[in-house]
């Protein structure tokens, strides 16, 4: 029987990038494991969050999450580091310039075994999010809350999450997050931030079926085509309600 880590005080930030989400999670009082494959971004985060690292509240893992451990090729996008990816098609969008490097790779079960199962799992790993979701299947203990960035496989993502037992879903329009204030924690969300999580997201939790219908009339049609301008982007959030 699957259980969920409701009482954990840990968050996994998979796809740390510039660390703005990690900053917010630390302000909320959570310990954070932040995974990032780009060595330059890891170095900057080590300086930015030196106190949290020293206090043991933040662990920065320089690695890419993948289907297996070991080493893999990773493409650092030199024009837009948000697009850096294991997937060449994803990383090289719009004929942008990339640098190929070799990085260590880890699996989600390995991270769970090393650090524990988090309360919240943020997945934003540019083109390989499905790899993370597939590794949730069959795990005896899962995060209480998960978010994953929308892409053309959004329907598949929600199906996988529902198969893992998640029965509450929300859709967060990230393009509306910039400039919002969390006064309680002294935080203003910068551009590109993932924003609030779990029950702090506005609106009621939707059932899987209602979420699929909402998504299909808001974000993408059943063939995966976007319904809204590319100036808007979404995260799919889920939790276990029962």
């Amino acid at each position: 029987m699957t259980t969920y880590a409701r009482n954990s005080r840990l968050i996994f930030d998979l796809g740390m990038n510039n660390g703005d989400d990690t900053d917010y999670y630390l302000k909320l009082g959570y310990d954070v494991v932040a995974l990032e494959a780009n060595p330059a971004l890891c170095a900057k985060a080590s300086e930015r969050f030196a106190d949290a690292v020293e206090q043991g509240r933040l662990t920065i893992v320089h690695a890419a999450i993948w289907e297996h451990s070991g080493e893999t090729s990773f493409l650092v996008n030199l024009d837009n580091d948000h697009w850096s990816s294991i997937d060449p098609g994803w990383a090289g969008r719009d004929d942008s310039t990339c640098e190929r490097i070799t990085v260590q790779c880890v699996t989600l079960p390995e991270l769970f075994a090393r650090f524990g199962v988090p309360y919240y799992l943020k997945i934003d790993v540019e083109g390989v999010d499905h790899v993370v979701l597939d590794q949730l299947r069959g795990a005896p203990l899962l995060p209480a809350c998960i978010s994953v960035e929308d892409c053309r496989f959004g329907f598949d993502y929600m199906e996988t999450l529902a198969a893992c037992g998640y029965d509450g879903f929300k859709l967060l329009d990230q393009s509306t997050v910039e400039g919002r204030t969390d006064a309680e924690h002294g935080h203003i969300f910068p551009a590109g931030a993932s924003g609030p999580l779990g029950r702090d997201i506005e609106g009621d939790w939707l059932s899987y079926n209602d979420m699929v219908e909402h998504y299909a009339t808001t974000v993408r049609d059943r063939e995966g085509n976007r319904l809204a301008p590319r100036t808007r982007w979404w995260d799919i959030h889920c939790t276990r309600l029962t």
Side-chain angles (χ1 to χ4, degrees):
M1 179 179 177
T2 302
T3 55
Y4 302 84
R6 304 179 194 275
N7 297 320
S8 172
R9 295 301 301 171
L10 177 66
I11 285 178
F12 278 13
D13 186 356
L14 302 188
M16 173 186 66
N17 197 259
N18 64 9
D20 284 342
D21 291 336
T22 285
D23 180 47
Y24 181 55
Y25 306 148
L26 290 169
K27 288 177 180 176
L28 292 177
Y30 288 93
D31 293 337
V32 180
V33 172
L35 181 136
E36 175 56 51
N38 186 330
L41 293 176
C42 288
K44 290 179 180 178
S46 295
E47 294 181 4
R48 178 180 181 182
F49 302 114
D51 289 345
V53 171
E54 183 178 358
Q55 295 163 8
R57 297 191 56 221
L58 171 62
T59 302
I60 299 170
V61 179
H62 176 211
I65 196 152
W66 191 228
E67 298 167 339
H68 54 76
S69 56
E71 292 185 340
T72 192
S73 292
F74 184 82
L75 291 164
V76 177
N77 190 300
L78 302 179
D79 299 320
N80 183 348
D81 56 33
H82 289 276
W83 290 355
S84 302
S85 176
I86 289 175
D87 184 338
W90 193 281
R93 284 176 285 171
D94 297 344
D95 295 323
S96 49
T97 303
C98 295
E99 176 186 359
R100 185 180 297 274
I101 64 173
T102 299
V103 298
Q104 291 295 314
C105 48
V106 296
T107 67
L108 188 63
E110 288 171 340
L111 291 175
F112 283 175
R114 180 179 172 187
F115 299 106
V117 177
Y119 168 75
Y120 170 54
L121 173 65
K122 184 204 105 174
I123 307 169
D124 188 355
V125 286
E126 300 303 317
V128 296
D129 306 79
H130 64 283
V131 171
V132 183
L133 293 173
D134 288 344
Q135 292 176 22
L136 292 168
R137 292 180 181 270
L141 179 63
L142 289 171
C145 298
I146 293 177
S147 72
V148 59
E149 186 180 26
D150 159 65
C151 80
R152 65 185 183 278
F153 302 115
F155 290 103
D156 295 333
Y157 292 174
M158 289 184 288
E159 182 178 10
T160 297
L161 291 165
C164 291
Y166 294 100
D167 56 2
F169 292 82
K170 289 185 180 182
L171 190 62
L172 177 60
D173 182 350
Q174 287 180 263
S175 65
T176 67
V177 167
E178 181 181 358
R180 288 192 195 181
T181 301
D182 181 340
E184 180 181 354
H185 300 98
H187 187 80
I188 299 174
F189 293 108
S194 293
L197 58 109
R199 64 177 179 272
D200 293 332
I201 302 171
E202 296 175 359
D204 296 328
W205 292 104
L206 301 178
S207 69
Y208 168 67
N209 289 333
D210 287 345
M211 177 64 170
V212 168
E213 182 63 26
H214 178 48
Y215 183 83
T217 56
T218 305
V219 182
R220 295 181 185 271
D221 64 23
R222 301 285 177 163
E223 285 70 47
N225 301 307
R226 292 178 63 96
L227 299 174
R230 294 195 63 84
T231 53
R232 303 183 69 185
W233 64 98
W234 288 264
D235 271 355
I236 297 166
H237 287 254
C238 70
T239 193
R240 174 74 177 191
L241 295 174
T242 56

